Amino acid sequence: MSTAPSSAPESPVKVLVYSDDANTRAQIRMAIGRRPAADLPQVEFIELATQPAVVERLDQGGVDAVIVDAEAQPAGGLGVCRQAKDEVYDCPPVLAVIARRDDGWLATWSRADAVVSLPLDPMAVAQALAGLLRRRLENRLPAL
């Protein structure tokens, strides 16, 4: 019995979700689902609630994208994004979740690669993440 090959890669992509609020992290996970687009692999979420944990995990490598909550406390996601962009070699793309559209300028300052606003629109979140992951996966060097 023959099965058609899947067009999506098999190994999951790793998406780090930073927020001090477990409910916000759950909303982000639910908005994305198991995979943000049919042509992408399934997502493996790495949920973190503190800035030091984010820095440590990014230093380990292997993260394909980051989603930050701008309203996180005490370290806001936009500050965490800016720090990552300044300090992490080959920093993964960052999707910022902002509470107010007027905070878009702060997301620009943070060098976030994409921005979505609350309340979360699952389609907008999935599309933004899918675009970031596609670019990241296209630029990934092949294993030798």
Side-chain angles (χ1 to χ4, degrees):
M1 179 180 265
S2 173
T3 59
S6 170
S7 62
E10 291 302 316
S11 62
V13 290
K14 293 183 180 164
V15 176
L16 188 155
V17 179
Y18 166 64
S19 177
D20 66 313
D21 184 338
N23 289 328
T24 299
R25 294 192 308 268
Q27 288 176 18
I28 291 168
R29 277 194 337 270
M30 294 297 286
I32 295 164
R34 292 176 14 156
R35 69 174 31 141
D39 64 320
L40 291 170
Q42 288 190 356
V43 172
E44 179 181 311
F45 291 102
I46 303 164
E47 293 186 48
L48 298 173
T50 67
Q51 178 268 346
V54 172
V55 170
E56 181 179 329
R57 184 58 186 88
L58 287 176
D59 283 345
Q60 293 172 10
V63 174
D64 297 298
V66 178
I67 301 173
V68 296
D69 172 13
E71 302 299 310
Q73 295 294 323
L78 299 179
V80 170
C81 175
R82 175 84 180 209
Q83 179 182 5
K85 292 293 186 174
D86 285 345
E87 298 177 4
V88 176
Y89 173 74
D90 194 27
C91 184
V94 178
L95 172 60
V97 177
I98 60 175
R100 296 162 300 279
R101 288 197 181 273
D102 291 345
D103 288 345
W105 73 272
L106 284 170
T108 300
W109 166 85
S110 75
R111 296 198 300 251
D113 299 282
V115 180
V116 294
S117 58
L118 295 171
L120 292 178
D121 172 358
M123 291 297 291
V125 176
Q127 287 175 349
L129 180 61
L132 296 178
L133 287 171
R134 285 183 189 110
R135 285 194 301 271
R136 180 73 170 187
L137 295 175
E138 285 172 5
N139 294 328
R140 188 183 279 172
L141 295 174
L144 299 176

